Amino acid sequence: MLIVDYGGVLTNPIAETIGHFANHLEIEPAELLAALAAAGSAGETIMAPLERAEISEAEFLDRMSRSLTGVAGRAIDLRDFRTVWFSGRFANHMMLDRLAELRGEGRTLALLTNNVREWEPYWRAQVPADTLFDVVVNSADEGVRKPDEAIYHIAIDRLGVAPRHCLFVDDDLTNCQSARAVGMRVHHFVDTPGAVTAIDEWFGRTTTGALPVVAGNPGAGESS
């Protein structure tokens, strides 16, 4: 079984999307990240309650507008947030094509994503989730998000397998560590060729016999 993340794995890196959006606002990416943190609470950025559907996108935008105004020192208009955000997000066709090949071979695939209820039409326009995956677990539907171990158990239970039979691929190292803690094999996504190699090895499509392991640096981990 293969379980993959969405943002930063099936798309271009999250840092690129953040940079694109910050450029649109004429601020630095670090200022955008600071505003996300300042708008949050309890040690979480505001993305956490948004991705658990505890707040609406409208509340998120209101709080972020005030937070960004404080960080940037001027009024920030976020009315076109969703359009601009997704204009900086692109499908990772190399990864999607390999997943389609695996699906055609009869492999079992799942998507495990931290995502936003109001953004579903946008990300589904990039990823053919219903035809590509046997199981889709979205934090906004479950009320829990990575790296909380509960969401990994939801995915495992719906696949009907033991954790050790699953390979989990994510660009956020903390998410990978949580998956490993529940017993999954993991591959920390750093680049597409490396991930494709690890997935092929997992399914026995190469002859090296090596098992994928956690490696690399933490990712941004937002909207993924």
Side-chain angles (χ1 to χ4, degrees), residues 41-119:
S41 61
E44 297 182 318
T45 78
I46 195 174
M47 292 303 301
L50 180 65
E51 291 175 343
R52 293 192 295 259
E54 295 169 356
I55 63 173
S56 66
E57 183 192 49
E59 182 177 348
F60 162 78
L61 293 176
D62 179 64
R63 288 167 58 178
M64 274 299 293
S65 182
R66 287 185 275 115
S67 182
L68 279 166
T69 296
V71 169
R74 58 182 172 84
I76 299 290
D77 184 355
L78 294 179
R79 283 178 295 181
D80 58 351
F81 175 90
R82 201 186 310 172
T83 300
V84 175
W85 181 262
F86 278 92
S87 70
R89 172 152 284 186
F90 309 101
N92 181 349
H93 291 292
M94 180 179 177
M95 178 64 80
L96 289 169
D97 288 348
R98 181 52 56 94
L99 294 182
E101 289 178 16
L102 292 167
R103 180 72 168 168
E105 294 172 2
R107 312 290 188 177
T108 300
L109 310 178
L111 177 67
L112 177 53
T113 176
N114 287 348
N115 227 305
V116 178
R117 181 166 291 162
E118 293 90 341
W119 297 359

Side-chain angles (χ1 to χ4, degrees), residues 127-208:
V127 175
D130 292 330
T131 57
L132 195 56
F133 299 105
D134 299 273
V135 169
V136 175
V137 178
N138 184 340
S139 65
D141 297 328
E142 308 302 334
V144 62
R145 72 195 284 272
K146 298 174 287 184
D148 190 317
E149 292 182 8
I151 198 166
Y152 301 94
H153 287 292
I154 291 170
I156 293 165
D157 290 346
R158 290 181 187 167
L159 286 168
V161 298
R164 68 180 182 277
H165 296 309
C166 297
L167 172 65
F168 176 69
V169 178
D170 199 300
D171 64 317
D172 188 295
L173 184 56
T174 300
N175 294 342
C176 289
Q177 290 168 335
S178 292
R180 193 175 193 178
V182 303
M184 293 183 189
R185 296 288 184 171
V186 300
H187 175 78
H188 178 222
F189 183 99
V190 176
D191 57 54
T192 302
V196 166
T197 297
I199 291 167
D200 282 351
E201 290 176 354
W202 174 254
F203 283 122
R205 299 173 97 237
T206 64
T207 59
T208 65

